[in-house]
Amino acid sequence: MKMELESILLPGVDNQRPIVISGPCSAETEEQVMETARGLAAKGVKIFRAGIWKPRTKPGGFEGIGAEGLQWLKRVKEETGMYVTTEVATKDHVFEALKAGIDILWIGARTTVNPFAVQEIADALKGVDIPVLIKNPVNPDLELWIGAFERLYNAGIRRLGAIHRGFSSYDKKIYRNLPLWHIPIELRRRMPELPMFCDPSHIGGKRELIAPLCQQAMDLKFEGLIIESHCNPDCAWSDASQQVTSDVLDYVLNLLVIREENQTTENLSELRRQIDAIDEQLLELLAKRMRISREIGTYKKEHNMPILQSPRYSEILEKRSNMGESMELDAEFVKNILKEIHEESVRQQMVIMNEQA
């Protein structure tokens, strides 16, 4: 679907990378909101964020101050001149936020995963000209993410943007939510006009990971960053470990290297030709491998053998991963490739098995 989107930027917010949105995970008290906002405004931040309604994994945690906090955001606008943004998850949230004059809305990861909830928000926004940012769903489902944009677009919302906040995983990794950068990269390929923001706070889950994640986002040409900050992060009522002070935020932003976008790629032409030639060879080798897999499938069918040979598959994974490491390839990368190849080989052999004699 081709979307003709308008600029999501607001008057007074320039389009130099990165566009920065910052503020506390949760609006806790009026004093906390104002102190944080003043600190950020002093550092030049133009867009202030704060969670008013907080979806929690389990009951009993702080679920946000509610509509009362919207008045604090109005005060932030009046006293600092910053634009303000908050998360909405229901049509009632939308109505309350619009009534309070909130400038930008965002849809959270737990809401994006539910098409009914996204449609409810889209219906509530019909006829309203307001920027809306959509976080990726908690699970790595690109089509679900794109579907959310289409629902808002069909409701007449043209100022749309994406927030990459990482993806949940049962595996305990260094990150709170796995970056899986290939998913936002594919989103950009399919929707190149869509502004992309990175949420390093939720990806990392720890404040010390924010700086390197910000740099990665800039290297991938993300337009903006949405970073959680707090006047006293260690005492935050939610997500304390991933929030920073305005001073730390300023330090992180000043460290960023913004790559030159207008550099010519002429000098890369020869290297790219080499890549194209190697890719062609890879495809030819994969085609050859699949032909052999089909021959193996024919042999198994003729000798009444099962397709899956688990010991052989395990042996291939281990040996090829070790071989890859000796060639300076990441073992996990090699395993993932081999798994995809194995799945296709099994599929090809199943076709052979199901062919009529």
Side-chain angles (χ1 to χ4, degrees):
M1 175 182 178
K2 176 65 175 174
M3 294 188 182
E4 296 296 337
L5 299 177
E6 301 170 11
S7 172
I8 200 166
L9 302 183
L10 297 161
V13 179
D14 60 40
N15 59 0
Q16 288 189 335
R17 293 191 303 136
I19 302 162
V20 178
I21 302 172
S22 191
C25 172
S26 303
E28 301 162 1
T29 66
E30 188 170 6
E31 292 73 23
Q32 168 250 3
V33 167
M34 295 310 303
E35 185 178 349
T36 304
R38 292 187 192 107
L40 291 169
K43 300 299 183 183
V45 176
K46 303 293 186 185
I47 308 174
F48 182 81
R49 59 140 290 154
I52 299 297
W53 301 279
K54 299 297 298 180
R56 311 311 296 173
T57 302
K58 294 181 179 179
F62 177 59
E63 297 186 337
I65 201 70
E68 175 189 354
L70 294 171
Q71 301 308 310
W72 308 341
L73 296 188
K74 286 182 67 174
R75 185 180 166 195
V76 168
K77 284 183 65 171
E78 292 165 0
E79 294 191 17
T80 70
M82 284 194 286
Y83 293 101
V84 293
T85 177
T86 197
E87 177 180 344
V88 292
T90 69
K91 66 178 187 298
D92 293 334
H93 293 171
V94 171
F95 295 143
E96 291 287 347
L98 294 177
K99 187 168 63 175
I102 301 301
D103 299 295
I104 304 171
L105 305 179
W106 85 76
I107 298 175
R110 288 182 173 90
T111 305
T112 307
V113 82
N114 184 346
F116 293 110
V118 174
Q119 189 62 55
E120 178 182 289
I121 292 170
D123 292 341
L125 286 170
K126 282 183 178 176
V128 180
D129 180 22
I130 188 171
V132 180
L133 306 175
I134 304 178
K135 289 194 173 186
N136 60 262
V138 291
N139 53 309
D141 188 335
L142 177 59
E143 298 306 322
L144 198 57
W145 200 3
I146 290 175
F149 289 109
E150 292 179 348
R151 290 176 189 278
L152 270 292
Y153 186 86
N154 291 341
I157 302 300
R158 294 295 179 267
R159 289 191 283 167
L160 292 168
I163 300 177
H164 172 44
R165 51 78 77 191
F167 301 90
S168 296
S169 170
Y170 287 114
D171 298 329
K172 295 301 180 184
K173 304 279 187 180
I174 185 174
Y175 300 109
R176 176 181 178 183
N177 294 293
L178 300 180
L180 301 184
W181 293 105
H182 65 281
I183 294 179
I185 288 171
E186 177 62 13
L187 176 66
R188 163 140 286 170
R189 186 189 71 79
R190 295 188 36 193
M191 303 178 70
E193 72 285 358
L194 194 68
M196 301 279 289
F197 290 76
C198 179
D199 180 350
S201 304
H202 278 90
I203 292 175
K206 302 181 184 71
R207 58 181 67 103
E208 59 267 25
L209 294 176
I210 288 175
L213 285 165
C214 286
Q215 186 61 61
Q216 289 178 64
M218 290 301 97
D219 291 344
L220 291 170
K221 292 180 65 176
F222 277 56
E223 280 74 22
L225 301 166
I226 178 166
I227 303 172
E228 291 188 345
S229 57
H230 193 290
C231 55
N232 189 359
D234 290 331
C235 296
W237 295 1
S238 59
D239 288 347
S241 62
Q242 67 189 42
Q243 300 190 65
V244 297
T245 63
S246 58
D247 286 337
V248 171
L249 174 68
D250 190 53
Y251 178 73
V252 168
L253 295 176
N254 285 327
L255 283 178
L256 289 177
V257 177
I258 308 300
R259 314 294 178 190
E260 178 57 57
E261 292 189 71
N262 298 320
Q263 286 279 8
T264 177
T265 59
E266 190 175 326
N267 293 335
L268 294 175
S269 297
E270 178 55 35
L271 292 174
R272 286 177 170 172
R273 278 194 290 270
Q274 292 180 42
I275 288 287
D276 290 344
I278 291 169
D279 285 347
E280 187 175 335
Q281 293 171 32
L282 284 172
L283 290 173
E284 289 173 353
L285 287 171
L286 283 172
K288 183 176 181 180
R289 192 186 195 284
M290 291 309 157
R291 283 196 295 272
I292 296 171
S293 290
R294 288 193 292 273
E295 289 178 18
I296 291 173
T298 300
Y299 182 90
K300 289 176 179 176
K301 181 178 182 180
E302 291 173 349
H303 293 79
N304 199 27
M305 295 170 63
I307 291 175
L308 189 60
Q309 305 285 323
S310 295
R312 167 66 176 163
Y313 178 43
S314 299
E315 179 188 353
I316 288 175
L317 276 183
E318 184 176 352
K319 285 187 175 180
R320 303 296 192 272
S321 298
N322 292 337
M323 187 185 301
E325 279 191 300
S326 70
M327 299 176 181
E328 298 184 355
L329 292 171
D330 181 76
E332 196 64 29
F333 167 70
V334 174
K335 280 185 180 179
N336 287 335
I337 290 176
L338 291 171
K339 285 176 183 176
E340 293 291 335
I341 292 173
H342 181 260
E343 286 182 14
E344 178 61 16
S345 294
V346 169
R347 189 190 70 80
Q348 298 257 0
Q349 291 183 28
M350 288 182 70
V351 170
I352 296 294
M353 290 287 192
N354 292 325
E355 286 178 348
Q356 297 295 323

